[in-house]
Amino acid sequence: MVTRRRFLAGSIGALALASASACGGVGAKSGTGGGKAGAGALSTQGFGKPDDVGQARINAFKSAYPKVKLHINEGDFDPQQFLSAVSSGNAPDLVYLDRDLVGSYAAQGVIQPLDDRIAAAGIDTGAYRKAALDEVTIDGKVYGVPEFYNTRNILVNGKALDEAGLSLSDVSTSDWNRLHTTAAKLYKAAGHRISRIGFDPKLPEFLPLWAKANGADLVHPDGSPNLDDPRIVEALTYALSLIDEQGGWSRFKAFRDTWDLFGSGNQFVKDQAGAFPWEGWYVNVLVQASPKVDLRSIPFTDRHGKPISFENGSAWCLPKGSGNPEAAVDWMKVMTSTDTWLRAGAARQATVEKNKTMFTGLWTANQEADQKVKAKYVKGGRTGFHQAIEHYYASTDYAFAIQGSKAGSEIKTAWQEAVNRALSGQQKPGAAMKQAQAEAGKAFEAAK
């Protein structure tokens, strides 16, 4: 999957951060952690390089805790590296990872519950969006402090829409029969050579969104898998049919892989895409790479026309064996506080003014921070871009997350591999999801 972490240095709300201080390896420590509040060494894993938003927040922590000596591993989260560090007794003091991994790592005992430490540090968990907090809450215990909050809406190529004589309502996901017609009208090909994908359902990554649109969740409230639910099979079958009608998976994917997603020759500029659901950070990519493109947008909806959105993001967690848990929790508090997000907003505004572009939003798990940043810095601008920004802000209020589970990582692997088998034609959707349910169910029972 194309992700912000892999490709987008400098975007709004970039997930990757780093320290302004010297870098260290995982578990690197100097001085003593020793449990002394506001002092000692603090080592981390899971960062990339900082953008302006990340650096402003790092600076906020350094200002608040000048006696803490930071040792930052600049790479993205590496599961093998992390588990090896914990098992060898050389765990980092703090780890930054995707929220959908939290349940599995909690079950393995490699990260610690935070409830008592959160209370002692004065962190108000009520400040975090419920969906994000639910992802990191396992069996009633909180195992992570949520940070960014990525939601999905549908981005549309206005030029292609006009050319096909269509309106935004034609791109709505509320009427699946009409969406078939819309995709066909937006699709372009000469023989077997695709020149424009009409509507990309974004599989396998966005299966949770299609399932929810059909009234189903991939994980039950108790954390057990629900992958062979007939409504999920129906949703997958439908999303696959959109791809089949636009050249089939092999040609569809091969053409999509040619898109210059982050460049000035992106798929909207070159008229290679009609519409697709995507995360909000991509608006910032487009406004920088192609500010004159005719961008339009519409919320993703269920089959009754109700707006829905799928959210995910990262969290700060405390590894087993952390040498300075007090400083680690202080870091979590500072990095996700409203005041710190406002500092990050100011840093981004300075970048916006320097580059003569527009502020495209910050979307975090802190609802108050989002509201204040939006009120202060989101001032409108190019009509299409501004409308997209408004849609993403609105979606933060109703977005859902996959329920946290002790087998969260294993369940995700099971359904993604199932979708890939269905995409490649190895299995029919029903058989693929039945196999996924068996694999995920076994993992869930083992985790219990």
Side-chain angles (χ1 to χ4, degrees), residues 197-426:
I197 289 173
F199 188 96
D200 182 357
K202 283 292 292 167
L203 293 178
E205 303 95 326
F206 289 5
L207 176 63
L209 195 55
W210 291 101
K212 192 73 166 182
N214 208 31
D217 291 297
L218 273 63
V219 178
H220 289 296
D222 67 353
S224 62
N226 183 40
L227 304 183
D228 59 351
D229 187 309
R231 295 168 296 177
I232 296 176
V233 174
E234 182 184 21
L236 174 57
T237 301
Y238 173 77
L240 284 171
S241 72
L242 289 174
I243 293 173
D244 289 341
E245 293 167 6
Q246 297 179 86
W249 177 239
S250 294
R251 286 192 289 271
F252 186 98
K253 184 178 184 300
F255 175 68
R256 191 174 67 182
D257 287 346
T258 68
W259 291 356
D260 181 21
L261 282 166
F262 299 92
S264 58
N266 60 65
Q267 68 282 0
F268 283 151
V269 171
K270 290 189 174 181
D271 195 29
Q272 296 171 321
F276 50 78
W278 206 286
E279 297 93 335
W281 54 262
Y282 194 57
V283 177
N284 190 55
V285 174
L286 293 174
V287 80
Q288 293 186 67
S290 51
K292 295 182 179 180
V293 75
D294 183 2
L295 178 69
R296 302 179 197 176
S297 60
I298 187 173
F300 201 102
T301 69
D302 67 15
R303 300 183 74 175
H304 302 287
K306 179 183 177 182
I308 60 172
S309 190
F310 167 46
E311 75 82 12
N312 66 352
S314 295
W316 300 104
C317 298
L318 187 67
K320 176 184 178 182
S322 170
N324 196 350
E326 290 82 6
V329 175
D330 287 337
W331 171 280
M332 298 177 193
K333 180 178 181 179
V334 171
M335 295 295 279
T336 61
S337 75
T338 298
D339 287 345
T340 302
W341 283 121
L342 284 168
R343 290 181 63 164
R348 177 45 53 93
Q349 179 61 24
T351 301
V352 165
E353 292 175 359
K354 178 181 178 181
N355 295 338
K356 297 180 179 179
T357 180
M358 64 181 291
F359 198 112
T360 57
L362 277 179
W363 296 286
T364 80
N366 183 328
Q367 188 171 10
E368 178 189 47
D370 282 7
Q371 292 170 346
K372 290 187 174 182
V373 168
K374 181 177 186 289
K376 192 168 185 178
Y377 297 114
V378 178
K379 302 299 182 183
R382 301 171 183 89
T383 302
F385 286 95
H386 182 65
Q387 187 62 56
I389 292 165
E390 292 294 333
H391 282 147
Y392 281 105
Y393 269 110
S395 66
T396 60
D397 291 333
Y398 55 73
F400 73 92
I402 295 177
Q403 175 65 43
S405 171
K406 286 184 174 180
S409 179
E410 295 82 357
I411 293 172
K412 180 179 180 180
T413 296
W415 66 255
Q416 287 197 333
E417 290 182 349
V419 176
N420 282 325
R421 291 194 299 272
L423 283 166
S424 65
Q426 296 179 47

Side-chain angles (χ1 to χ4, degrees), residues 406-407 410-411 437-448:
K406 286 184 174 180
E410 295 82 357
I411 293 172
Q437 176 68 18
E439 295 167 350
K442 183 178 180 180
F444 179 71
E445 290 303 316
K448 288 201 302 183

Side-chain angles (χ1 to χ4, degrees), residues 145-163:
V145 172
E147 200 186 69
F148 288 105
Y149 197 84
N150 307 310
T151 64
R152 281 83 176 158
N153 286 304
I154 298 172
L155 298 177
V156 182
N157 175 355
K159 178 182 177 181
L161 203 67
D162 291 345
E163 179 187 283

Side-chain angles (χ1 to χ4, degrees), residues 156 161-162 165-172 178 182 296 298:
V156 182
L161 203 67
D162 291 345
L166 298 170
S167 66
L168 277 173
S169 62
D170 292 312
V171 188
S172 171
R178 182 170 63 172
T182 298
R296 302 179 197 176
I298 187 173

